[in-house]
Amino acid sequence: TLEVSSKYFDLEDRQQVLLRQYLAHAFNNDPVLLKAFDVLLQRSAKHLRVKERFETVEVWKKVVSHLLKSNELRKSNDLPAVSRIYDIASGHGLLAVLLAYRFPTMTVLALDREKRNGFAHYVDAVNDFGKALPGAATCLANLSFEVADFNHWRWDGTGSGTGSDVGRAVICVHGCNELNVAVLQRAVEAQAAWLVVPCCIRDGLG
């Protein structure tokens, strides 16, 4: 059993091996992600707990599957395919990095009240090994981070609260209390695909 606060270098040698085996399986042996994570495990271990790595990768797999299915449903309902992904309350930002890599033709925005130091390390690690699309400067040229409060933020800085002509997907992992409800309401208004994984919800909040 791991301590909640455990970082990579807190693990025993055999546990480090198991973590690497898990990542290889989760990423289907994708060489770019494995090389990037090898760098992150060695250089940026202090920025992310092992618990957060597992959580992020597992949620990433669910989001990828959900978005692929959502686009099939959106097509059958004459809605535009998802072209923009919003990772609300992004925290460390690793989920946004993984989504930007998995969906290189989609725009991915990570949004939070502060930008953590680890985010730049994750982006650099993937950019170092990933291949940029034609015309793009880097592999993750489709990724950006915006520091803002979701309650005062608007889609793409337009001031519009809806905009259903654009295919959007809204992701919120570990949002607290009212934020979960606010994200769901905004997603429904914009006819966006959504996936919310709450951290905590007070009794009676709805």
Side-chain angles (χ1 to χ4, degrees), residues 5 8 29 66 82 114 144 167-168 199:
S5 60
Y8 177 70
N29 288 308
H66 179 63
V82 171
E114 64 175 330
S144 61
R168 297 185 171 99
C199 172

Side-chain angles (χ1 to χ4, degrees), residues 11-188:
L11 303 180
E12 299 174 2
D13 289 345
R14 65 178 183 84
Q15 293 174 319
Q16 291 184 7
V17 171
L18 289 173
L19 175 57
R20 290 175 182 275
Q21 290 176 345
Y22 161 78
L23 292 173
H25 175 75
F27 296 145
N28 292 319
N29 288 308
D30 184 298
V32 172
L33 290 181
L34 291 179
K35 288 177 182 177
F37 264 75
D38 186 60
V39 170
L40 293 177
L41 290 175
Q42 296 298 324
R43 300 180 187 173
S44 306
K46 66 179 181 180
H47 295 295
L48 203 64
R49 293 174 291 166
V50 174
K51 165 185 174 289
E52 292 173 313
R53 295 180 193 274
F54 281 124
E55 289 175 343
T56 302
V57 172
E58 287 300 309
V59 170
W60 172 72
K61 292 192 295 184
K62 294 292 185 183
V63 173
V64 169
S65 174
H66 179 63
L67 290 181
L68 293 174
K69 292 177 182 177
S70 292
N71 268 343
E72 294 177 1
L73 290 173
R74 293 176 70 83
K75 182 178 180 181
S76 64
N77 287 287
D78 294 324
L79 290 172
V82 171
S83 60
R84 301 178 188 178
I85 302 172
Y86 303 85
D87 180 22
I88 308 300
S90 187
H92 47 69
L94 183 56
L95 177 60
V97 170
L98 291 174
L99 288 172
Y101 175 77
R102 176 59 180 80
F103 298 107
T105 61
M106 296 185 187
T107 300
V108 179
L109 173 70
L111 181 82
D112 210 322
R113 291 178 175 178
E114 64 175 330
K115 187 177 183 180
R116 299 187 191 176
N117 293 332
F119 181 75
H121 293 283
Y122 312 146
V123 173
D124 289 344
V126 174
N127 278 335
D128 284 346
F129 300 104
K131 183 178 180 180
L133 292 180
T138 64
C139 175
L140 297 180
N142 58 326
L143 173 65
S144 61
F145 197 110
E146 184 173 345
V147 177
D149 184 330
F150 180 75
N151 293 316
H152 305 293
W153 173 83
R154 293 293 179 266
W155 302 114
D156 312 313
T158 62
S160 172
T162 55
S164 58
D165 56 318
V166 177
R168 297 185 171 99
V170 184
I171 314 299
C172 183
V173 179
H174 280 189
C176 292
N177 296 310
E178 290 87 351
L179 178 61
N180 298 287
V181 177
V183 168
L184 285 171
Q185 290 175 338
R186 189 84 66 86
V188 171

